[in-house]
């Protein structure tokens, strides 16, 4: 789901703010990915429980999400105003369309055990989630 930050225009500058209800979970970790070659795609995983907000403070990154039920969405992150919520059980890839920085706010500290890195495993996980 694509949301927007609060935008404050101040002295010809734009301040993009996320606070209060614009943060749908308690942020426990923030990281940036930079130095990625234009055209390269990262991600190719889903999380079991992690919630994330993705934004591109600089440049353009296209994010594709897949819920494992045939619903794929493409989001263009090309402004710090745009913020994408990626919840658990969402297979996602991020493609650098320009020199860009990806900033991720996450609901939990890094836990390799929360990753699902195989697509078949993800489909099985998503199907199991549906049946609960
Ligand atoms: P990874 O999550 O696979 O990157 P991407 O989201 O682009 O697919 O992480 C790449 C490497 O960085 C991996 O070895 C794990 C490490 N890492 C941490 O140690 N802490 C973190 O918070 C993150 C996101 C990654």
């Amino acid at each position: 789901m694509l949301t927007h930050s609060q935008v404050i225009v101040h002295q010809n500058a734009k301040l993009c703010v996320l606070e209060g209800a614009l943060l749908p979970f308690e942020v426990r970790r923030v990281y940036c990915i930079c130095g990625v070659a234009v055209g390269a795609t990262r991600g190719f995983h889903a999380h079991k429980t992690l919630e994330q907000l993705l934004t591109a403070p600089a440049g353009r990154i296209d994010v594709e999400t897949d819920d494992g039920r045939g619903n794929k969405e493409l989001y263009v992150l090309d402004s710090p105003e745009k913020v994408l919520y990626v919840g658990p059980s969402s297979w996602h890839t991020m493609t650098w369309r320009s020199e860009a920085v990806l900033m991720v706010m996450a609901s939990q500290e890094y836990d390799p055990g929360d990753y699902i890195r195989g697509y078949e495993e993800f489909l099985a996980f998503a199907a199991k989630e549906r049946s609960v």
Side-chain angles (χ1 to χ4, degrees), residues 75-86:
Y75 300 96
V76 176
L77 300 181
D78 57 359
S79 160
E81 290 172 41
K82 294 186 185 173
V83 183
L84 181 66
Y85 173 82
V86 178

Side-chain angles (χ1 to χ4, degrees), residues 33 38 43 60 73 87 96-97 99 103 112 117:
I33 305 180
V38 176
R60 172 177 162 180
E73 304 284 348
W96 267 248
R97 295 295 182 201
E99 208 173 290
M103 187 168 93
R117 292 200 179 271

Side-chain angles (χ1 to χ4, degrees), residues 15-16 18 61 64 71 83 85 96 132:
L15 285 73
C16 300
L18 291 172
I61 297 168
E64 189 177 288
N71 299 311
V83 183
Y85 173 82
W96 267 248
V132 175

Side-chain angles (χ1 to χ4, degrees), residues 29 31 33 42-45 47 52 92 94 96 102 109-111 115 117:
R29 178 166 52 112
Y31 64 94
I33 305 180
R42 298 182 61 94
F44 300 103
H45 62 248
H47 287 278
Q52 301 177 96
H92 52 286
M94 300 83 74
W96 267 248
L102 179 68
E109 292 174 26
Y110 179 66
D111 174 11
Y115 280 69
R117 292 200 179 271

